[in-house]
């Protein structure tokens, strides 16, 4: 039996009472990379922000429906519990104005997850940076400012920050949109390795990226899920003309 990590039931999201995501029902399998593709204003980022309840802070936002992680309703969890379980990476890297080392330990300290012994903290930092394919590049300058890193390194540092809290799910919102091809390849390599331990949802406008890294792909259009399938099948023989037109560049 397939191990369902996330189950979304009849989710609808609204901004100023305008529906931006309509009656979405979808399941995410444990340890898969699920890519979400579709043109602008399809509800992709709204879906991600609802999964970690970031949109709850917007006064004009409302929602209906339910989302379960391991059969637990996320809307019944307190925010701190949810943030420990669901990490999110944004399009633009946002390193904290402190050292590389302090960037990694910041969230674990705030969430009460930091090891008490210095050598255990060091091991946590090393493991997180290795998980983000960054350790070899920065291991000799952990006490230097994260603001001096390149854009690609900063994005992988942000991945390492997420790994330091050891979540169950990682959400990637256009993580490579501002990166060069070499940095993009390193982020994609990290994602492929991380799915061994985490469940990953990737929102991307780069259909080639979705085809390279994801196990399954979902196509959103105008706030609706048009279809979802194994990536190799969806890109070769989609079930709808709308999906085919999008992935072949006829619209979007």
């Amino acid at each position: 039996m397939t191990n369902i990590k996330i189950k979304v039931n009849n989710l609808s999201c609204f901004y100023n009472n305008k529906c931006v995501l309509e009656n979405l029902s979808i399941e995410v399998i444990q340890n898969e990379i699920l890519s979400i593709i579709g043109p602008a204003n399809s509800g992709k980022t709204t879906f991600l922000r609802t999964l970690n309840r970031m949109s709850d802070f917007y006064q004009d936002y409302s929602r209906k429906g339910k989302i379960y992680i391991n059969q637990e309703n996320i809307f019944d969890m307190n925010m701190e519990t949810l943030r420990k379980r669901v990490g999110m990476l944004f399009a633009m890297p946002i390193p904290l104005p402190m050292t590389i080392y302090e960037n990694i330990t910041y969230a674990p300290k705030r969430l009460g997850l930091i090891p008490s012994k210095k050598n255990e903290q060091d091991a946590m930092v090393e493991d997180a940076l290795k998980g983000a394919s960054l350790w070899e590049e920065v291991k000799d300058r952990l006490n230097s400012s994260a603001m001096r890193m390149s854009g690609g390194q900063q994005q992988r540092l942000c991945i390492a920050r997420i790994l330091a809290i050891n979540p169950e799910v990682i959400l990637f919102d256009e993580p490579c949109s501002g990166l060069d091809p070499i940095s993009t390849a390193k982020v994609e390599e990290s994602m492929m390795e991380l799915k061994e331990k985490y469940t990953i949802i990737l929102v991307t406008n780069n259909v080639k990226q979705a085809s390279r890294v994801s196990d399954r792909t979902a196509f959103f259009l105008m706030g609706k899920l048009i279809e979802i399938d194994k990536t190799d099948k969806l890109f070769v023989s989609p079930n709808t003309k709308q999906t085919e037109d999008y992935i072949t560049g006829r619209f979007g």
Side-chain angles (χ1 to χ4, degrees):
M1 182 178 177
T2 301
N3 193 355
I4 303 300
K5 185 67 178 179
I6 299 171
K7 187 177 181 68
V8 180
N9 286 343
N10 302 315
L11 177 68
S12 294
C13 300
F14 308 84
Y15 286 100
N16 289 321
N17 297 318
K18 179 183 177 182
C19 184
V20 296
L21 197 60
E22 183 178 349
N23 201 33
L24 174 66
S25 292
I26 194 171
E27 294 177 342
V28 185
I29 301 168
Q30 185 163 323
N31 299 112
E32 77 168 340
I33 299 177
L34 174 67
S35 285
I36 311 290
I37 62 171
N41 301 314
S42 293
K44 306 186 300 296
T45 294
T46 295
F47 176 51
L48 281 199
R49 290 175 179 270
T50 300
L51 283 170
N52 78 342
R53 294 179 58 187
M54 183 167 293
S55 294
D56 285 14
F57 295 106
Y58 302 141
Q59 291 185 346
D60 59 350
Y61 169 83
S62 60
R63 53 171 161 73
K64 297 189 296 186
K66 296 180 179 179
I67 300 176
Y68 300 92
I69 296 180
N70 290 349
Q71 302 181 340
E72 298 176 64
N73 190 340
I74 70 167
F75 303 127
D76 292 336
M77 299 178 192
N78 65 52
M79 288 291 194
E80 185 171 294
T81 298
L82 182 62
R83 293 283 156 67
K84 288 178 182 178
R85 298 179 67 176
V86 181
M88 185 165 179
L89 187 79
F90 300 96
M92 295 299 294
I94 311 173
L96 301 172
M98 51 184 66
T99 69
I100 296 170
Y101 190 100
E102 290 168 335
N103 263 266
I104 305 298
T105 58
Y106 179 78
K109 284 180 179 178
R110 287 189 62 237
L111 295 171
L113 301 173
I114 194 76
S116 57
K117 297 180 179 178
K118 179 64 165 60
N119 66 323
E120 293 175 349
Q121 293 180 25
D122 292 346
M124 181 196 70
V125 170
E126 180 176 343
D127 288 346
L129 289 168
K130 283 181 174 177
S133 302
L134 190 57
W135 173 251
E136 292 300 327
E137 297 173 44
V138 302
K139 64 182 180 181
D140 297 323
R141 54 187 179 108
L142 296 178
N143 292 319
S144 65
S145 172
M147 310 307 289
R148 297 176 186 169
M149 304 170 78
S150 69
Q153 289 176 329
Q154 288 181 353
Q155 190 65 304
R156 283 180 284 145
L157 176 66
C158 292
I159 295 174
R161 285 207 321 238
I162 294 171
L163 300 183
I165 63 172
N166 195 28
E168 300 169 38
V169 177
I170 305 177
L171 312 175
F172 288 83
D173 188 11
E174 288 290 339
C176 304
S177 61
L179 302 184
D180 61 84
I182 293 175
S183 297
T184 294
K186 289 182 178 179
V187 171
E188 290 179 358
E189 178 185 347
S190 295
M191 282 192 283
M192 298 284 284
E193 294 175 357
L194 291 172
K195 78 170 184 176
E196 298 299 318
K197 187 175 180 181
Y198 306 95
T199 300
I200 295 173
I201 302 177
L202 166 68
V203 162
T204 179
N205 286 326
N206 185 336
V207 294
K208 291 183 178 179
Q209 181 174 70
S211 70
R212 286 193 298 265
V213 305
S214 58
D215 300 286
R216 292 190 303 151
T217 298
F219 174 55
F220 284 23
L221 181 64
M222 297 179 67
K224 295 181 180 180
L225 171 63
I226 303 302
E227 69 174 289
I228 180 172
D229 212 330
K230 290 183 178 179
T231 296
D232 53 1
K233 182 178 182 302
L234 184 137
F235 276 83
V236 173
S237 56
N239 291 325
T240 71
K241 187 176 186 303
Q242 293 165 307
T243 306
E244 182 179 6
D245 286 348
Y246 181 74
I247 62 179
T248 56
R250 293 193 181 97
F251 78 87

